[in-house]
Amino acid sequence: MAKSRILIADDNAANVELLEVFLSELDCEIAVAVDGLDTLQKVATFKPDLILLDIMMPKLSGFEVCRRIKENPQTRNIMVLMVTALNELGDIERAVAAGCDDFLSKPVNKLELLKRVENMLKLRHVTDELERLRRYIDSMEQANRPVPR
């Protein structure tokens, strides 16, 4: 099975470095995006399984990036974990409304981050396998339909 791909989207280099160190224990490929537009471009080229997405970023906020990812049929199954210093109830509600899959407040606890990332990657891979099986069943049903005369 291919390595999981994680995109870290944060404009703060220290935060990115910390997340990379924490995630180094996992067998995964990591890419970094430095703003909202860069994040959308990296989603298209890197094709991550999971995005660790900061909310307060230049060019496009994490809320807007998440909304665009979840509205696009090609990217909506990418797991999004919002990692942010914002922790007011209204911020959490906006993140959920934008479509995020989970929410983690800074400062990040290493153990909590790793468990959430592992669980989200498992869920992503199960979802991918379910979709693959659905397509297979659909193709088998198509192949077994009687030909109209």
Side-chain angles (χ1 to χ4, degrees), residues 1 8 15-16 34-36 39 42 46 55 58 60 63 67 71 81 83-84 90 94 107 120 132 145-146:
M1 186 165 79
I8 299 171
N15 290 341
V16 170
V34 295
D35 62 51
T39 302
K42 294 267 173 56
F46 183 64
I55 290 176
L60 285 176
F63 296 125
R67 187 187 62 72
E71 287 178 350
L81 174 60
V83 182
T84 184
R94 282 185 68 195
M120 293 177 85
R132 188 190 67 74
R145 285 200 177 120

Side-chain angles (χ1 to χ4, degrees), residues 1-143:
M1 186 165 79
K3 282 186 177 182
S4 295
R5 293 171 167 246
I6 300 173
L7 176 61
I8 299 171
D10 197 317
D11 60 315
N12 182 306
N15 290 341
V16 170
E17 188 176 327
L18 181 66
L19 291 172
E20 285 179 314
V21 168
F22 285 176
L23 295 173
S24 68
E25 293 185 13
L26 303 177
D27 186 27
C28 61
E29 292 180 49
I30 296 174
V32 175
V34 295
D35 62 51
L37 291 177
D38 187 33
T39 302
L40 293 175
Q41 291 168 346
K42 294 267 173 56
V43 165
T45 58
F46 183 64
K47 301 189 184 322
D49 298 298
L50 169 66
I51 303 169
L52 303 183
L53 182 61
D54 185 32
I55 290 176
M56 297 184 301
M57 288 193 299
K59 299 188 181 172
L60 285 176
S61 74
F63 296 125
E64 180 61 20
V65 169
C66 186
R67 187 187 62 72
R68 289 185 187 190
I69 288 167
K70 294 301 185 172
E71 287 178 350
N72 182 336
Q74 275 82 43
T75 60
R76 73 171 144 230
N77 289 333
I78 296 172
M79 302 298 286
V80 177
L81 174 60
M82 293 260 189
V83 182
T84 184
L86 301 177
N87 60 7
E88 296 295 318
L89 183 58
D91 300 321
I92 296 170
E93 289 170 352
R94 282 185 68 195
V96 170
C100 84
D101 298 290
D102 204 353
F103 191 95
L104 189 59
S105 294
K106 294 176 185 174
V108 173
N109 174 284
K110 179 181 177 182
L111 182 60
E112 184 178 12
L113 173 74
L114 290 175
K115 286 314 294 177
R116 287 186 191 213
V117 165
E118 287 172 352
N119 288 335
M120 293 177 85
L121 289 173
K122 284 178 192 173
L123 181 57
R124 169 63 195 254
H125 294 303
V126 166
T127 302
D128 287 349
E129 182 65 12
L130 179 60
E131 186 59 34
R132 188 190 67 74
L133 289 171
R134 278 194 183 129
R135 285 193 308 269
Y136 175 75
I137 290 168
D138 288 346
S139 70
M140 294 304 292
E141 288 175 347
Q142 289 285 79

